[in-house]
Amino acid sequence: MKDINDQLDSPLALKISFDKLLERYETMAQSDDSFKVEKAERVLQAGNSVSELRDGFSDPTLLETYQKEIQIILEDSFSEVLTLNEIKTASMPLHDLNFNASSRFKSIVENAGPDFRLKISNMPEDDHYRVACTIILYFYYGYQMSFRRSLFYEIPDAKGIIRTYKILFNADFAEVVKTASAPEITEEDYRLLLGNFEDIDLWREKFPPHSYIYKGFTINNIFDVTDDRSISDIKSTLLISGKRKNDNFIDDFQVTFESLFNIKNLKVGFVIYNKESQTFERVEGKFIESYLLTDTAIVPCQSALCGDSYKSLITEKEYFSILDVEQCYHQSHEPFYKNLYDQNIKSAIFAPISSEGELLGVLEIVSHKVGELNSVNANLLRDVMPFIVSSLLRSKEEEKHLIEAVIQQECTSIHPSVSWRFEDAARVFLDKKRTDGKNVAFEEITFENVYPLFGQIDVMGSSETRNEATRQDLSLQLSLSKEIIEAQLKKERLPIYEQLLHQLEVFFNSLDHHFIVDSEQEIGSFFENEIHPLFEFIEQKNNALRMHIENYFAKIDRSLNLIYYHQKNYDDTITMINKNMTHILDHKQEEAQQMYPHYFERYKTDGVEHNMYIGESITKEHGFHKIYLYNLRLWQLQVMCEMENEFYRNKPDYPSSVDVASMVLVFNKPLTIQFRMDEKQFDVYGTYNASYEVVKKRVDKALIKGTDERVTVNGKLTIIYSQKEDEEAYLKYIKFLQFKKVFDMDIELLDLEDLQGIAGLKAIRVPILYNHPKGDHYYTYDDLINEIQS
């Protein structure tokens, strides 16, 4: 750097000069105190020895050239006795140049590492130019602009821990000199600048680059405030979260802002921003005001704001200041300004409270004096807004948890499509509980005129398969036990062993001829109480059988006291099927919700069932059309076939050999669903609609009329319905999906036997086509099974 003004974008051209300080020593040289005179003359001799030291220079290399003279000039300001204690340096304003630093300051910077660059941590680059302008307005024109921001260095110590240092600038020994290129600043210009801090082009127009000269230097006294800053951060998290418990909250908060702005009788208010409804809502608390809402609880943002304030706060999330409310009102007659004018507000600042680009609320600061609040001192909020954001986030999180706790207690885990309704009810519940006391009931949650869809992919013969796996495990355990007891009987001829063998035979017969659910429990109890204690005794007594007994116990699940092999294979198979099926269903559901929001729930049984409800009452929006129902029905058929394909792709990997059958149920009329608080789930509401739930529970067991054949079979999708119009609609869907190679060409139209209380059901069965893994051709079910088994 050949010149300290190189690449310096500032209205100030900097010149290092000690003239103002040397003038002080000239006055001291006239003192009657001989000691002071001697010291002054020594400093003046050093200062006057080189003309640049008084005239000023911008070449930083001269600091090294005149280092000895500068040290003499600054020896009173930088005491050698305190150099190891004080954190102190000389510098130029808004520049990273430092010189004549104390030993402690040098040590701090050196410990930060060779790559560290000293920089003020809390002043954005864009502010440097405007801050330099405020320096000119103060030094040259005498305007007291309130921009008293505390500035900090953040410097890592030798351990890498970031420490915070507060900087106090002493500019007593400097002056600002106006050049010929600088326009004159009038009172009108000053007022214009007060209202337009963010308009950098305006500031550049009034203060062109290097149009003023800053001649002198600053003395920076620096203090380690790491502990104070940390304590402040901790306290800040309590700022808003305790508001409901402390009625003095807002008064204390206003006192804080009065100190920050150095303005008496400021008023502070808040509003919460609701993104979903695009409204401002009053913050809960009887002493918390809002000057945007006045006496109203909720107001649309566009009604509460004008066009400019809406753009700043909602769109850009930037401060919006009003220098003169009355002037703005008379010029625009906007309701926004009229609202403030009617409250005798003369100037105001509205500050967006946002986090990660999301608007949370608006901080309102108002004054009853014109010009007291403006776009310049709005920047004082930069240091406190992080604390307010942190506090509001915590407050919102606490309220969210409270609402979720109410929903969890009163309801259950709620699908996102209907969570808005539960949240509304939870807010009403909390409000009533706060005002009316403890005896408050959670309101009923119902959705009217919604269309149901139901589907399932179920393991065929699951009960028989599970029972067969249990029989195989029990048979193996009985056989192993029989071998051990027979071996022991040969060595030790005791009648009790013969009696145990007889009991084992009885159990063998029961497995073959009349196995029931209780049989497993009876046999398990027999092993636990009689066989296992005996085997433990024999193991200690008969070394020849020890290995056989150890092998037996190695196969036993000790929590069940039974062999759990074939059953485990079956249970693992069901788990894997459910995992694969739900993965597809959940993934596809995300896409379906984007088409049109609807309620969805699924259940894992010996397969996967799903319920869906679609209608305007669920979406919270107008514009539902039956086309969305038809689209969801078509989507459901495709997804059921995809799940079938996924099952057969993975079938070779399943431990047990099982088959599945898929079915969808069509219900023609809209119905009402209600959340049942006792069962924590939705159910149909009303006697008329109850038949739908009856059909859902029984329909997969329905038989084809005049036969003993179940309507659901493997390799085909079964569509059950009762109305002719549904048959016609689904035949159109099937025809389209046959064209898409989802279904094969054969179609069965079937009448079903009456169920208890249900008559007139019909079914469509259509064969599913299964994709080849390479996607180049398709299989029927029989072809697929042959391929898998070959």
Side-chain angles (χ1 to χ4, degrees):
M1 183 172 58
K2 296 181 179 179
D3 192 293
I4 60 175
N5 294 298
D6 287 346
Q7 300 179 345
L8 180 65
D9 183 24
S10 172
L12 291 171
L14 305 179
K15 293 185 73 172
I16 303 169
S17 169
F18 304 97
D19 185 53
K20 287 290 183 182
L21 179 59
L22 292 172
E23 288 178 358
R24 296 280 186 95
Y25 279 104
E26 287 174 343
T27 303
M28 189 187 298
Q30 307 303 318
S31 172
D32 295 332
D33 188 329
S34 59
F35 177 77
K36 289 183 179 180
V37 171
E38 182 178 352
K39 176 181 288 188
E41 289 177 346
R42 178 171 179 270
V43 171
L44 289 169
Q45 181 180 0
N48 294 329
S49 63
V50 182
S51 60
E52 286 99 328
L53 295 176
R54 299 199 74 145
D55 296 339
F57 59 91
S58 57
D59 182 355
T61 62
L62 295 181
L63 289 170
E64 185 68 26
T65 304
Y66 306 132
Q67 181 180 5
K68 181 178 179 181
E69 289 80 2
I70 292 172
Q71 285 180 338
I72 294 172
I73 294 170
L74 297 177
E75 65 183 3
D76 286 340
S77 301
F78 290 79
S79 171
E80 185 65 28
V81 176
L82 300 176
T83 189
L84 296 175
N85 180 270
E86 288 186 331
I87 310 173
K88 199 170 187 178
T89 183
S91 72
M92 299 299 286
L94 307 175
H95 202 289
D96 57 7
L97 174 73
N98 288 281
F99 60 93
N100 207 71
S102 68
S103 296
R104 186 178 175 194
F105 179 83
K106 292 177 182 177
S107 174
I108 289 171
V109 174
E110 288 173 2
N111 288 336
D115 298 329
F116 175 74
R117 180 189 171 194
L118 191 67
K119 184 179 181 181
I120 294 173
S121 63
N122 63 323
M123 179 178 287
E125 292 290 340
D126 292 344
D127 284 357
H128 279 70
Y129 200 98
R130 286 170 287 213
V131 172
C133 296
T134 64
I135 292 173
I136 295 169
L137 287 168
Y138 174 72
F139 273 89
Y140 191 82
Y141 293 97
Y143 288 123
Q144 295 282 348
M145 298 196 84
S146 182
F147 199 77
R148 300 176 296 99
R149 291 186 64 197
S150 296
L151 299 178
F152 299 90
Y153 289 137
E154 290 185 349
I155 307 174
D157 61 17
K159 296 180 180 179
I161 300 172
I162 301 296
R163 301 197 65 81
T164 303
Y165 298 87
K166 185 175 181 179
I167 314 161
L168 297 181
F169 297 94
N170 183 340
D172 288 349
F173 308 115
E175 60 181 326
V176 172
V177 180
K178 183 173 179 284
T179 70
S181 63
E184 188 67 26
I185 301 299
T186 65
E187 178 70 24
E188 184 179 351
D189 292 328
Y190 170 64
R191 285 178 59 84
L192 184 63
L193 292 166
L194 278 177
N196 293 279
F197 183 83
E198 297 299 328
D199 189 351
I200 187 62
D201 292 333
L202 175 65
W203 289 86
R204 286 181 177 276
E205 176 190 337
K206 302 300 181 183
F207 301 94
H210 294 183
S211 56
Y212 292 81
I213 297 171
Y214 183 93
K215 183 181 176 183
F217 68 101
T218 63
I219 298 174
N220 304 342
N221 292 285
I222 304 168
F223 303 92
D224 188 338
V225 294
T226 305
D227 293 343
D228 293 340
R229 196 76 180 274
S230 299
I231 293 170
S232 178
D233 287 346
I234 295 170
K235 287 182 177 179
S236 70
T237 61
L238 305 175
L239 191 61
I240 293 179
S241 61
K243 63 181 180 293
R244 297 184 181 91
K245 302 175 184 177
N246 182 9
D247 290 339
N248 296 323
F249 161 77
I250 199 65
D251 291 334
D252 296 340
F253 204 51
Q254 287 178 171
V255 169
T256 302
F257 274 86
E258 288 177 353
S259 299
L260 178 67
F261 283 84
N262 198 27
I263 297 173
K264 194 66 177 172
N265 296 322
L266 277 184
K267 299 296 182 183
V268 180
F270 294 91
V271 288
I272 297 296
Y273 174 67
N274 188 320
K275 181 180 178 180
E276 290 185 4
S277 59
Q278 291 282 296
T279 56
F280 286 137
E281 300 176 3
R282 183 175 296 279
V283 178
E284 187 179 334
K286 58 185 178 180
F287 291 101
I288 300 177
E289 297 290 337
S290 170
Y291 302 96
L292 288 175
L293 302 183
T294 58
D295 296 328
T296 312
I298 300 175
V299 171
C301 298
Q302 290 187 329
S303 300
L305 302 172
C306 64
D308 290 337
S309 57
Y310 185 94
K311 179 181 177 183
S312 294
L313 295 170
I314 308 299
T315 306
E316 300 175 348
K317 300 172 184 63
E318 295 289 344
Y319 304 127
F320 186 79
S321 62
I322 308 171
L323 186 68
D324 189 334
V325 171
E326 183 176 1
Q327 183 184 55
C328 292
Y329 168 57
H330 290 310
Q331 288 177 350
S332 69
H333 297 286
E334 289 268 3
F336 166 67
Y337 292 111
K338 183 181 187 303
N339 176 40
L340 300 177
Y341 178 77
D342 290 344
Q343 297 177 72
N344 196 33
I345 295 169
K346 302 297 185 182
S347 60
I349 295 171
F350 298 97
I353 306 171
S354 61
S355 175
E356 299 181 349
E358 291 290 328
L359 184 65
L360 307 174
V362 175
L363 169 67
E364 309 164 347
I365 308 172
V366 300
S367 168
H368 296 296
K369 290 186 179 180
V370 174
E372 274 196 330
L373 297 172
N374 51 71
S375 69
V376 175
N377 58 17
N379 286 270
L380 295 171
L381 294 172
R382 290 184 186 272
D383 294 325
V384 298
M385 289 307 288
F387 304 155
I388 297 173
V389 169
S390 173
S391 303
L392 187 55
L393 283 172
R394 178 173 174 177
S395 179
K396 287 178 73 69
E397 193 68 16
E398 289 175 349
E399 183 172 4
K400 177 183 176 183
H401 289 162
L402 191 58
I403 289 173
E404 289 177 348
V406 171
I407 295 174
Q408 194 68 31
Q409 177 182 341
E410 300 293 334
C411 313
T412 185
S413 179
I414 301 302
H415 189 260
S417 63
V418 295
S419 62
W420 64 271
R421 181 67 183 84
F422 288 86
E423 289 171 3
D424 288 349
R427 288 190 179 94
V428 171
F429 179 88
L430 290 173
D431 289 341
K432 287 183 177 179
K433 195 168 185 178
R434 293 185 187 110
T435 56
D436 300 341
K438 296 181 179 179
N439 297 323
V440 177
F442 195 85
E443 66 180 86
E444 291 184 346
I445 305 294
T446 59
F447 295 97
E448 298 179 349
N449 294 318
V450 296
Y451 291 89
L453 296 92
F454 173 76
Q456 70 175 33
I457 180 167
D458 198 33
V459 172
M460 298 181 64
S462 56
S463 297
E464 293 82 358
T465 306
R466 180 178 281 107
N467 286 343
E468 179 57 30
T470 302
R471 276 196 295 266
Q472 288 178 311
D473 284 339
L474 292 174
S475 179
L476 175 60
Q477 188 166 357
L478 291 170
S479 296
L480 293 174
S481 301
K482 181 180 178 182
E483 291 175 2
I484 293 172
I485 295 175
E486 285 176 341
Q488 181 65 19
L489 181 60
K490 290 179 181 178
K491 183 176 181 182
E492 192 176 16
R493 304 293 301 183
L494 296 179
I496 189 63
Y497 295 145
E498 294 180 10
Q499 187 269 325
L500 290 174
L501 288 173
H502 172 72
Q503 184 62 55
L504 292 175
E505 287 296 335
V506 171
F507 285 136
F508 268 122
N509 290 330
S510 70
L511 293 183
D512 293 335
H513 298 102
H514 47 87
F515 179 77
I516 57 175
V517 175
D518 291 341
S519 299
E520 181 181 8
Q521 184 176 356
E522 182 183 1
I523 295 173
S525 177
F526 170 71
F527 277 107
E528 180 181 5
N529 297 322
E530 299 191 43
I531 298 298
H532 290 174
L534 174 64
F535 282 2
E536 290 170 357
F537 168 73
I538 295 174
E539 186 179 17
Q540 297 175 359
K541 188 175 180 182
N542 188 344
N543 290 332
L545 290 177
R546 181 172 299 165
M547 185 176 297
H548 295 282
I549 293 174
E550 289 177 353
N551 180 57
Y552 168 85
F553 279 118
K555 292 180 171 62
I556 298 297
D557 184 313
R558 297 312 292 260
S559 63
L560 301 173
N561 284 302
L562 294 171
I563 289 179
Y564 181 57
Y565 175 73
H566 294 93
Q567 291 178 82
K568 185 177 186 303
N569 284 344
Y570 177 79
D571 291 341
D572 288 347
T573 297
I574 297 299
T575 300
M576 293 169 69
I577 291 172
N578 287 345
K579 181 179 179 182
N580 292 334
M581 298 302 101
T582 56
H583 175 75
I584 289 180
L585 194 55
D586 291 346
H587 175 69
K588 293 295 181 180
Q589 249 296 298
E590 293 178 6
E591 298 176 2
Q593 291 291 342
Q594 296 300 317
M595 299 175 193
Y596 193 85
H598 56 277
Y599 180 79
F600 169 80
E601 61 184 355
R602 59 166 171 77
Y603 306 97
K604 295 178 181 179
T605 55
D606 284 346
V608 177
E609 298 178 1
H610 66 268
N611 284 319
M612 295 184 289
Y613 299 99
I614 187 169
E616 191 167 289
S617 62
I618 287 177
T619 62
K620 196 185 176 183
E621 299 173 0
H622 297 296
F624 173 76
H625 189 278
K626 271 196 171 183
I627 190 69
Y628 296 115
L629 169 64
Y630 304 150
N631 181 73
L632 193 59
R633 286 176 172 177
L634 183 59
W635 172 89
Q636 183 185 37
L637 296 179
Q638 292 175 290
V639 171
M640 295 298 294
C641 294
E642 287 191 44
M643 292 166 68
E644 282 257 357
N645 270 270
E646 179 69 12
F647 169 79
Y648 286 106
R649 273 195 294 270
N650 293 300
K651 184 173 181 178
D653 300 327
Y654 295 144
S656 292
S657 178
V658 296
D659 252 319
V660 295
S662 298
M663 179 270 293
V664 298
L665 173 63
V666 183
F667 196 75
N668 186 266
K669 301 296 183 183
L671 45 75
T672 297
I673 58 173
Q674 182 182 60
F675 190 83
R676 297 189 57 170
M677 297 297 179
D678 52 348
E679 296 183 5
K680 310 296 185 185
Q681 67 180 29
F682 277 104
D683 203 349
V684 296
Y685 180 71
T687 305
Y688 171 76
N689 297 320
S691 60
Y692 174 71
E693 287 296 327
V694 175
V695 174
K696 269 174 50 179
K697 291 181 172 69
R698 300 175 182 173
V699 72
D700 65 326
K701 304 295 192 297
L703 303 178
I704 299 173
K705 201 158 196 174
T707 74
D708 293 329
E709 180 185 349
R710 287 266 293 269
V711 67
T712 54
V713 294
N714 49 17
K716 296 181 181 182
L717 179 63
T718 302
I719 303 164
I720 298 176
Y721 62 97
S722 62
Q723 301 297 317
K724 185 65 176 180
E725 61 186 277
D726 291 327
E727 177 184 301
E728 294 171 353
Y730 272 85
L731 287 175
K732 291 179 182 178
Y733 302 151
I734 291 169
K735 186 175 182 179
F736 170 70
L737 294 177
Q738 286 172 332
F739 168 75
K740 299 281 286 185
K741 300 295 185 183
V742 175
F743 291 129
D744 202 1
M745 301 308 295
D746 297 331
I747 297 176
E748 298 174 89
L749 299 178
L750 307 169
D751 292 325
L752 304 186
E753 293 284 359
D754 294 345
L755 299 174
Q756 184 177 355
I758 306 295
L761 290 179
K762 301 175 181 297
I764 302 172
R765 283 202 312 207
V766 57
I768 299 169
L769 287 177
Y770 298 91
N771 304 76
H772 188 275
K774 294 183 180 180
D776 54 355
H777 59 275
Y778 300 87
Y779 295 107
T780 64
Y781 175 77
D782 291 336
D783 292 337
L784 176 69
I785 296 302
N786 290 334
E787 179 76 14
I788 292 174
Q789 294 176 349
S790 61

